[in-house]
Amino acid sequence: MPLVYLTRRERFNAAHKLHREEWDDQKNLEVFGKCANPNWHGHNYTLWVTAKGEPDPITGYVLNLADLRDVVREKVTDKLDHRNLNLDVDFLKGIQPSTENLAVAIWEELVEEVKKLGGELHSIKVEETENNSVEYFGE
Amino acid sequence: MPLVYLTRRERFNAAHKLHREEWDDQKNLEVFGKCANPNWHGHNYTLWVTAKGEPDPITGYVLNLADLRDVVREKVTDKLDHRNLNLDVDFLKGIQPSTENLAVAIWEELVEEVKKLGGELHSIKVEETENNSVEYFGE
Amino acid sequence: MPLVYLTRRERFNAAHKLHREEWDDQKNLEVFGKCANPNWHGHNYTLWVTAKGEPDPITGYVLNLADLRDVVREKVTDKLDHRNLNLDVDFLKGIQPSTENLAVAIWEELVEEVKKLGGELHSIKVEETENNSVEYFGE
Amino acid sequence: MPLVYLTRRERFNAAHKLHREEWDDQKNLEVFGKCANPNWHGHNYTLWVTAKGEPDPITGYVLNLADLRDVVREKVTDKLDHRNLNLDVDFLKGIQPSTENLAVAIWEELVEEVKKLGGELHSIKVEETENNSVEYFGE
Amino acid sequence: MPLVYLTRRERFNAAHKLHREEWDDQKNLEVFGKCANPNWHGHNYTLWVTAKGEPDPITGYVLNLADLRDVVREKVTDKLDHRNLNLDVDFLKGIQPSTENLAVAIWEELVEEVKKLGGELHSIKVEETENNSVEYFGE
Amino acid sequence: MPLVYLTRRERFNAAHKLHREEWDDQKNLEVFGKCANPNWHGHNYTLWVTAKGEPDPITGYVLNLADLRDVVREKVTDKLDHRNLNLDVDFLKGIQPSTENLAVAIWEELVEEVKKLGGELHSIKVEETENNSVEYFGE
């Protein structure tokens, strides 16, 4: 049976900054550059969630994409959209909101949920700007 | 020798619906949602065909991209463009035209053709909307 | 007071064909080319609705974009999405569903609605493929 | 002599919120929706600056695009990028940072600068998300 | 009768440089910057041709878009694609190939041709990079 | 520890042609088609450089993306941008500038540099046009 990879794109707009509280502004600026601006900045993030599985012989679906969309929104993007990634998001508490860490945290939110839908989570890709993105495969 | 992956994008615009003839409209609607609209709907599909191989030391080509373009058009997109995926396409007869099944069917059309061009088919990616896509690697 | 132009993008996926019932298939093919395929084809249409007005001094809004989004969806894209433009849409009855006619018909659906929101409709732009689009300014 | 319109795109990533200090959270939420989140949110803004003029017969330039780029960065995007539009930007003090007001404020920053470069400012377009944008022509 | 604006996108990939033969390399570099590289550079240009007219009551077409595509290719992009804009193009002889001059020259090639198709040329837009573009309206 | 893939996009605009000096124009045209135009043509190339590594527990960074950007520009895109790939680039001497060979050559320029930044180079992707791209993984 063929193994097919299915990707859903969702988007969210959020504020964040990169900083360490134990460092002063000067050190934060040296390490994080303009991402350390104390008054925050923000992005239009794009998220691609890829699940894999064998298409159902009746429906032709690896899993129902509307279900995948709903679970991504409920567990992830509704919690991130128009929020502050440092302050407002339960599953990011204590996590430096770099794009790398964001992708790993989103993986953790979704890996079991995708199993419930009948697929297997393959990758999480997060684009912060048109020039910068990360991808995580769960390993 | 380096192994390089070469991708050609082609596009086609087609109508389709997802339904099972043995189910009534109500059941089709429950399973397939708005994709079950009896009078069809359609998409601008984008197709990426990726072949791999070692670049020729004289030409620098894995394979001639114009040849790849021509075979993708002849065997696939000319048969799909401005057509009905449920009714008009020889290589989709009896296949539920989900994006998943479409990618697998396109793989089957191209896997031997790419060999004739001197490369090996690596993946078929089909995007149905900017939010939904699938990829198939032949396994 | 400044006059600002505000644009909302929405998308819909629909089937259609271009044909005249009083013409035979041969004549339809000559005039409309592959758009005349009897079994339909389809597109991912993109719609940009532009309204103009003076920003409110308190809110900074020409009009509430969420309201504009809602009215565009209710009056236009919910009726078009995953539908057949020749068969399923009340405001397209008797209209040849060329992109040109589609833009004009959408203008008619929205011109009074945008007034109710406190703005003035400026233009309707419809993109059928990445290579083809039309724009209508109500005149 | 031909009159040609020349457009430069620049981008900036910023945090903001829409709110009135004299309103409580409930009223801000009613009027501004999720844009009122007290802890901010943010966007990847895209800015298009269009100047017009007659191409120089020797250089073929309406104005030197590198100069236009530099002045847009110095006067506008360097002040906005990785900043908080409510707190950090001199030319936005006291202005509700809606996309509408942002476009008007950027116009004011650039209208005289473009004259110094030998052109005339024609329009400022600001895109907040791929679905929302505004344009201002100075009137 | 409604007046509708119809746009066709075409693309071409070309080499060029900006320089004045009567100037030495140093002066060319001062005026044109990196665009003066003596050994050429190049771009993927995107061209949007916009025609206007009233949709035909039978076909719904302002003009036949396939005809517009064919004439744009024959008169313009087939002459520009994979060519050197300074050396290879009849309608650019003696013209500094700035994007501004390119748009004006393309207008001259197409203004009468669009009339033959039953429409009126409205604008020529040429994008040189995702950050730089020009538009010309024939005046 | 999670292994995360980090991608930086950079762009460059360059001229090139595909040809063999030992072949006459006719043979070059047969093999390379319009890419053999003796007077050159050019492209807006897009480059994606992907590095992998474990995010630092303090900063959340696989590596500092500003450093990656700087090394990609210094070692690669500053040497390619507004240049002739056949004539002007030290690391392409004697190499047929096909997209395949370009990706391999860029890999060689960056593989050790990315190690110095604390990551491992994973892939080089080069897009020549929106329809054509290649990717190389170092093997």
Side-chain angles (χ1 to χ4, degrees):
Chain A
M1 289 290 291
L3 185 66
V4 179
Y5 295 70
L6 177 67
T7 298
R8 175 72 191 176
R9 186 189 80 142
E10 291 290 331
R11 296 174 297 120
F12 58 95
N13 310 317
H16 81 146
K17 66 178 167 183
L18 299 181
H19 75 131
R20 298 291 302 180
E21 288 198 16
E22 67 272 26
W23 295 348
D24 61 14
D25 281 3
Q26 182 57 32
K27 173 123 193 223
N28 274 306
L29 185 66
E30 284 170 23
V31 174
F32 295 114
K34 59 188 182 179
C35 296
N37 180 43
N39 283 331
W40 318 98
H41 67 283
H43 294 289
N44 297 347
Y45 290 91
T46 307
L47 167 66
W48 290 267
V49 175
T50 300
K52 61 186 172 190
E54 297 175 356
D56 180 275
I58 304 298
T59 62
Y61 283 176
V62 164
L63 48 78
N64 190 311
L65 199 57
D67 294 339
L68 180 60
R69 177 199 63 203
D70 289 348
V71 77
V72 173
R73 290 182 179 176
E74 181 196 346
K75 298 294 179 183
V76 178
T77 55
D78 286 351
K79 295 178 175 181
L80 298 172
D81 188 40
H82 283 69
R83 297 292 170 186
N84 185 309
L85 302 185
N86 301 64
L87 301 177
D88 293 337
V89 185
D90 57 1
F91 69 81
L92 294 175
K93 291 294 179 203
I95 293 177
Q96 180 77 270
S98 67
T99 320
E100 290 92 328
N101 286 348
L102 192 52
V104 174
I106 292 170
W107 174 281
E108 298 302 335
E109 290 304 291
L110 290 175
V111 63
E112 293 304 321
E113 299 295 332
V114 172
K115 278 184 195 158
K116 293 179 198 167
L117 298 178
E120 185 183 346
L121 187 59
H122 174 69
S123 71
I124 297 294
K125 183 175 175 183
V126 180
E127 186 182 276
E128 196 184 65
T129 74
E130 64 185 51
N131 293 333
N132 304 336
S133 65
V134 307
E135 193 163 16
Y136 179 56
F137 299 87
E139 296 180 345
Chain B
M1 289 290 291
L3 185 65
V4 179
Y5 295 70
L6 178 68
T7 298
R8 175 72 191 176
R9 185 188 80 140
E10 291 290 332
R11 297 174 296 122
F12 57 96
N13 310 316
H16 81 146
K17 66 177 167 183
L18 299 180
H19 75 131
R20 298 290 301 182
E21 288 198 17
E22 66 273 25
W23 295 347
D24 62 14
D25 282 3
Q26 182 56 33
K27 173 124 193 222
N28 274 305
L29 185 66
E30 284 170 23
V31 173
F32 295 114
K34 59 188 181 180
C35 297
N37 180 43
N39 283 331
W40 320 96
H41 66 283
H43 295 290
N44 297 348
Y45 290 91
T46 307
L47 167 66
W48 289 268
V49 175
T50 299
K52 61 187 172 189
E54 298 176 356
D56 181 275
I58 303 299
T59 62
Y61 283 176
V62 165
L63 49 77
N64 191 311
L65 199 57
D67 294 339
L68 180 60
R69 177 199 64 203
D70 289 348
V71 78
V72 173
R73 290 183 179 175
E74 180 195 348
K75 297 294 180 184
V76 179
T77 56
D78 286 352
K79 295 179 176 181
L80 298 172
D81 188 40
H82 282 69
R83 296 291 170 188
N84 184 310
L85 303 184
N86 301 64
L87 302 177
D88 293 337
V89 185
D90 56 2
F91 70 81
L92 294 176
K93 291 293 179 206
I95 293 177
Q96 180 77 271
S98 68
T99 321
E100 290 92 328
N101 285 348
L102 193 51
V104 174
I106 292 170
W107 174 280
E108 298 302 334
E109 290 304 292
L110 291 175
V111 64
E112 293 305 319
E113 299 295 332
V114 172
K115 277 184 195 158
K116 293 180 198 166
L117 299 178
E120 185 183 346
L121 187 58
H122 174 68
S123 71
I124 296 294
K125 183 175 175 182
V126 180
E127 186 182 275
E128 196 185 65
T129 76
E130 65 184 49
N131 293 334
N132 304 337
S133 64
V134 308
E135 194 163 17
Y136 179 57
F137 299 88
E139 296 180 345
Chain C
M1 291 289 292
L3 186 65
V4 179
Y5 295 71
L6 178 66
T7 298
R8 175 72 190 175
R9 184 189 80 142
E10 292 289 332
R11 296 173 298 122
F12 57 96
N13 310 318
H16 80 147
K17 66 177 166 183
L18 299 180
H19 75 132
R20 298 291 301 180
E21 288 198 15
E22 66 272 26
W23 296 347
D24 62 13
D25 281 3
Q26 183 56 33
K27 172 124 193 224
N28 274 305
L29 185 66
E30 284 170 23
V31 174
F32 295 115
K34 59 187 181 179
C35 297
N37 181 42
N39 282 332
W40 319 98
H41 67 284
H43 295 290
N44 296 349
Y45 290 92
T46 308
L47 167 66
W48 290 267
V49 175
T50 299
K52 60 186 172 189
E54 298 176 355
D56 180 275
I58 303 300
T59 62
Y61 283 175
V62 164
L63 49 79
N64 191 310
L65 198 58
D67 294 340
L68 180 60
R69 177 200 62 204
D70 289 347
V71 77
V72 172
R73 289 182 179 176
E74 181 195 346
K75 298 293 179 185
V76 178
T77 55
D78 286 352
K79 295 179 175 180
L80 298 172
D81 189 39
H82 283 69
R83 297 293 170 187
N84 184 311
L85 302 184
N86 300 64
L87 301 177
D88 293 336
V89 185
D90 56 3
F91 70 82
L92 294 176
K93 290 293 179 205
I95 293 177
Q96 180 78 270
S98 68
T99 321
E100 290 92 328
N101 285 348
L102 193 51
V104 174
I106 292 171
W107 173 280
E108 298 302 334
E109 289 304 291
L110 290 175
V111 62
E112 294 304 320
E113 299 296 331
V114 172
K115 278 184 195 158
K116 293 180 198 167
L117 298 178
E120 185 182 347
L121 187 59
H122 174 68
S123 71
I124 296 295
K125 183 176 176 183
V126 181
E127 186 181 276
E128 195 184 65
T129 76
E130 63 184 51
N131 293 334
N132 304 336
S133 65
V134 307
E135 194 163 16
Y136 178 56
F137 299 87
E139 295 178 347
Chain D
M1 289 290 292
L3 186 65
V4 179
Y5 295 72
L6 177 67
T7 297
R8 175 71 190 175
R9 186 189 80 142
E10 291 289 332
R11 296 172 298 121
F12 58 97
N13 310 316
H16 81 145
K17 66 177 166 184
L18 299 180
H19 75 131
R20 299 291 302 181
E21 288 198 15
E22 67 272 26
W23 295 348
D24 62 14
D25 281 3
Q26 182 56 33
K27 172 124 193 224
N28 274 305
L29 185 65
E30 284 170 22
V31 174
F32 295 114
K34 60 188 180 179
C35 296
N37 180 42
N39 283 332
W40 319 97
H41 66 283
H43 294 290
N44 298 347
Y45 291 92
T46 307
L47 167 66
W48 290 267
V49 175
T50 300
K52 60 186 172 189
E54 297 175 356
D56 180 276
I58 303 299
T59 63
Y61 283 175
V62 164
L63 48 78
N64 190 312
L65 199 57
D67 294 340
L68 180 60
R69 177 200 63 202
D70 289 348
V71 77
V72 172
R73 289 183 179 176
E74 181 195 347
K75 298 292 179 185
V76 178
T77 56
D78 286 352
K79 295 178 174 180
L80 298 172
D81 188 40
H82 283 70
R83 297 291 171 188
N84 185 309
L85 303 184
N86 301 64
L87 302 176
D88 293 338
V89 185
D90 56 2
F91 69 81
L92 294 175
K93 290 294 180 205
I95 293 177
Q96 180 76 273
S98 67
T99 321
E100 291 91 328
N101 286 347
L102 194 51
V104 174
I106 292 170
W107 173 281
E108 298 301 334
E109 290 304 291
L110 290 175
V111 64
E112 293 304 320
E113 299 295 332
V114 172
K115 279 184 195 158
K116 293 180 198 167
L117 299 178
E120 185 183 346
L121 187 58
H122 174 67
S123 71
I124 296 294
K125 183 175 175 182
V126 180
E127 186 182 275
E128 196 184 65
T129 75
E130 64 184 49
N131 294 333
N132 304 335
S133 65
V134 306
E135 193 162 17
Y136 179 55
F137 298 88
E139 296 179 346
Chain E
M1 289 291 291
L3 185 67
V4 179
Y5 295 71
L6 178 68
T7 298
R8 175 71 191 176
R9 185 188 80 140
E10 290 290 331
R11 296 173 298 120
F12 58 96
N13 310 317
H16 81 147
K17 66 178 167 183
L18 299 180
H19 75 131
R20 298 290 302 181
E21 289 198 16
E22 66 272 26
W23 295 347
D24 62 14
D25 281 3
Q26 182 57 32
K27 173 121 194 225
N28 274 306
L29 185 65
E30 282 171 24
V31 173
F32 294 114
K34 59 187 181 180
C35 296
N37 181 41
N39 283 332
W40 318 98
H41 67 284
H43 295 289
N44 297 348
Y45 290 92
T46 307
L47 167 66
W48 290 268
V49 175
T50 300
K52 60 186 172 190
E54 298 176 356
D56 180 276
I58 302 299
T59 62
Y61 283 176
V62 164
L63 48 78
N64 191 311
L65 198 58
D67 294 339
L68 180 60
R69 177 200 63 203
D70 289 348
V71 78
V72 172
R73 290 183 179 175
E74 181 195 348
K75 298 293 179 184
V76 178
T77 56
D78 285 353
K79 295 179 175 180
L80 298 172
D81 189 40
H82 283 69
R83 296 293 171 186
N84 185 309
L85 303 184
N86 301 63
L87 302 177
D88 293 337
V89 185
D90 56 2
F91 69 82
L92 295 175
K93 291 293 179 204
I95 293 177
Q96 180 77 271
S98 68
T99 321
E100 291 92 329
N101 285 348
L102 193 52
V104 174
I106 292 170
W107 174 280
E108 298 302 334
E109 290 305 291
L110 291 176
V111 63
E112 293 305 320
E113 299 295 331
V114 172
K115 278 184 196 159
K116 292 180 199 167
L117 299 178
E120 185 182 346
L121 188 58
H122 174 68
S123 71
I124 297 295
K125 183 175 174 182
V126 180
E127 187 183 276
E128 195 184 66
T129 76
E130 65 183 50
N131 293 333
N132 304 335
S133 64
V134 307
E135 194 163 16
Y136 179 57
F137 299 87
E139 297 180 345
Chain F
M1 289 291 291
L3 186 66
V4 179
Y5 295 71
L6 177 68
T7 298
R8 174 72 190 175
R9 185 189 80 141
E10 292 289 332
R11 296 174 296 121
F12 58 97
N13 310 316
H16 80 147
K17 66 178 166 183
L18 300 181
H19 75 133
R20 299 292 302 181
E21 289 198 15
E22 67 272 26
W23 296 347
D24 61 14
D25 281 3
Q26 182 56 32
K27 172 124 193 223
N28 274 305
L29 184 66
E30 283 170 23
V31 174
F32 295 114
K34 59 187 180 179
C35 297
N37 180 42
N39 283 333
W40 319 97
H41 67 283
H43 294 289
N44 298 349
Y45 290 91
T46 306
L47 167 66
W48 290 267
V49 175
T50 299
K52 61 186 171 189
E54 297 175 357
D56 180 276
I58 304 299
T59 61
Y61 283 176
V62 164
L63 49 78
N64 190 310
L65 198 58
D67 294 339
L68 181 60
R69 177 200 63 203
D70 289 349
V71 77
V72 173
R73 290 183 179 176
E74 181 194 348
K75 297 294 179 185
V76 178
T77 56
D78 286 352
K79 295 178 175 179
L80 298 172
D81 188 40
H82 282 70
R83 297 292 170 186
N84 185 310
L85 302 184
N86 300 65
L87 301 177
D88 293 336
V89 185
D90 57 2
F91 70 81
L92 294 175
K93 291 292 179 205
I95 294 177
Q96 180 77 271
S98 68
T99 321
E100 291 91 329
N101 285 348
L102 193 51
V104 174
I106 292 171
W107 174 281
E108 298 302 334
E109 290 305 291
L110 291 175
V111 63
E112 294 304 319
E113 299 295 331
V114 171
K115 278 184 195 159
K116 294 180 197 167
L117 298 178
E120 186 183 345
L121 188 58
H122 174 68
S123 71
I124 296 294
K125 183 175 174 183
V126 180
E127 186 182 276
E128 195 184 66
T129 75
E130 64 184 50
N131 293 334
N132 304 335
S133 65
V134 306
E135 193 162 17
Y136 179 56
F137 299 87
E139 295 181 346

